[in-house]
């Protein structure tokens, strides 16, 4: 084991080898593929910020993928920080341009689409049941408790949208940033090989993006709405939605509507769609607060 004060280098943790960019490009950058460019950098502040800056300058093709071995200023929703040890997870962003044939009012489905893609890709490649917490979290079960193992952030940039994913892969218990965090390894993953996991997630993302875009961004017609609902741990639970502006709403989560909003059934019998906010799971099949 490397002493705590030893200088960091790319081989300082042999359980966490660096990604092989040549192998990733060979497996993903095919002529018929969505993915047009793939770059792996040793460290950066935020892959989302990097791609968004390039998109705004017009220097970015659809299907560009940027992966960082380490992020020093990773961002989640509401400008929350995302930190993890080098090479302990997957930290990457992709650039998509749904504009041809997809109305901009349907672009809000793209981060939810990325959640479905990540959950299905990880279930196949890591053998871990990965659930979705609306709107942007990936959950796994560690010692009987739901834990957040990943997050998704989408932002408009240039003529498209940058979608970033951060997924904890090999984090050990003493490395978790919060008691509510988890990792694929702690959830009993059969594989924590990051190249295998990244290829699976990107191929799943390509599949779902193609289905959704081919349906003109119609989440119902493409099967995306049903797939999200089937994998969403928020549905059928009592939740508290902490809304922008400081208000909150408590109700049972009963549906994901056609616009990707979470529909809450409140005690007064109303059904209230929520388009943005933090969701706290109050009661449900897994019990406890998340």
């Amino acid at each position: 084991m490397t002493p705590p004060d030893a200088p960091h280098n790319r081989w300082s943790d042999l359980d966490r080898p660096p990604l092989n960019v040549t192998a990733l490009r060979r497996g993903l950058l095919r002529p018929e593929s969505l993915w047009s460019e793939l770059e792996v950098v040793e460290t950066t502040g935020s892959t989302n910020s990097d791609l968004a800056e390039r998109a705004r300058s017009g220097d970015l093709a659809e299907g560009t993928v940027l992966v960082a071995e380490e992020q020093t200023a990773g961002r989640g929703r509401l400008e929350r920080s995302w930190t993890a040890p080098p090479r302990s997870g997957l930290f990457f962003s992709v650039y998509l341009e749904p504009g041809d044939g997809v109305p901009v009012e349907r672009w809000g489905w793209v981060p939810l689409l990325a959640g479905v893609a990540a959950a299905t890709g990880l279930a196949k490649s890591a053998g871990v049941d990965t659930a979705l917490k609306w709107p942007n979290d990936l959950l796994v079960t560690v010692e009987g408790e739901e834990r957040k193992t990943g997050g998704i952030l989408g932002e408009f940039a240039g003529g498209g949208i940058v979608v970033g994913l951060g997924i904890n892969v090999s984090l050990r218990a003493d490395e978790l940033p919060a008691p509510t965090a988890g990792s694929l390894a702690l959830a009993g993953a059969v594989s924590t090989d990051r190249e295998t996991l990244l290829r699976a997630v990107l191929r799943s993302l390509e599949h779902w993006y193609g289905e959704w875009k081919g349906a003109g961004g119609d989440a119902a017609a493409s099967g995306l709405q049903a797939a999200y609902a089937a994998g969403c741990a928020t549905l059928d639970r009592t939740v508290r939605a902490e809304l922008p502006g400081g208000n909150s709403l408590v109700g049972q989560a009963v549906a994901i509507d056609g616009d990707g909003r979470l529909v809450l059934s409140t005690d007064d019998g109303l059904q209230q769609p929520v388009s943005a906010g933090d969701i706290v799971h109050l009661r449900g099949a897994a019990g406890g607060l998340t």
Side-chain angles (χ1 to χ4, degrees):
M1 180 176 293
T2 305
D5 56 350
H8 170 70
N9 65 72
R10 62 193 274 116
W11 300 107
S12 60
D13 190 337
L14 296 180
D15 291 332
R16 293 169 174 165
L19 292 167
N20 184 331
V21 65
T22 301
L24 286 169
R25 286 172 175 162
R26 185 168 56 244
L28 291 165
L29 305 186
R30 307 179 310 277
E32 71 280 9
S33 173
L34 167 66
W35 310 119
S36 58
E37 177 185 336
L38 187 146
E39 182 181 3
V40 177
V41 296
E42 187 69 21
T43 184
T44 191
S46 162
T47 56
N48 254 40
S49 296
D50 292 348
L51 284 193
E53 182 178 355
R54 288 179 57 188
R56 286 189 288 268
S57 70
D59 178 32
L60 201 58
E62 183 177 38
T64 296
V65 182
L66 177 62
V67 188
E69 297 282 31
E70 179 185 23
Q71 284 193 129
T72 59
R75 294 180 291 122
R77 290 180 62 251
L78 306 177
E79 296 301 317
R80 293 181 177 128
S81 62
W82 177 283
T83 59
R87 305 188 310 280
S88 66
L90 293 174
F91 321 115
F92 67 99
S93 298
V94 304
Y95 179 66
L96 302 172
E97 291 181 337
D100 293 339
V102 179
V104 70
E105 59 266 23
R106 292 179 172 176
W107 289 21
W109 269 100
V110 174
L112 302 182
L113 183 156
V116 170
T120 54
L122 293 173
K124 292 178 181 177
S125 57
V128 170
D129 184 17
T130 307
L132 302 165
K133 180 184 176 187
W134 189 92
N136 72 321
D137 289 349
L138 299 170
L139 304 178
V140 295
T141 300
V142 178
E143 297 179 349
E145 295 184 354
E146 284 182 338
R147 303 280 190 90
K148 177 178 176 178
T149 197
I152 299 162
L153 177 66
E155 54 186 304
F156 295 108
I161 182 169
V162 175
V163 183
L165 293 91
I167 302 167
N168 293 336
V169 175
S170 65
L171 267 75
R172 300 177 281 268
D174 61 350
E175 296 175 316
L176 296 174
T180 54
S183 70
L184 298 179
L186 292 174
V190 297
S191 173
T192 56
D193 180 86
R194 293 184 303 138
E195 290 174 29
T196 299
L197 303 178
L198 180 59
R199 284 196 301 269
V201 171
L202 287 174
R203 286 169 179 162
S204 182
L205 180 51
E206 179 179 14
H207 165 76
W208 279 107
Y209 182 67
E211 294 293 309
W212 173 79
K213 191 173 180 181
D218 187 323
S222 64
L224 176 60
Q225 184 177 2
Y228 191 93
C232 183
T234 303
L235 292 180
D236 300 322
R237 303 175 78 150
T238 300
V239 305
R240 181 175 69 249
E242 298 175 349
L243 307 174
N247 295 323
S248 64
L249 180 67
V250 174
Q252 184 179 23
V254 294
I256 304 294
D257 73 9
D259 294 319
R261 299 177 299 180
L262 181 68
V263 180
L264 301 186
S265 178
T266 60
D267 287 342
D268 55 13
L270 298 178
Q271 292 201 344
Q272 179 70 44
V274 175
S275 58
D278 277 358
I279 299 297
V280 179
H281 290 174
L282 299 178
R283 293 189 301 275
L289 303 179
T290 58

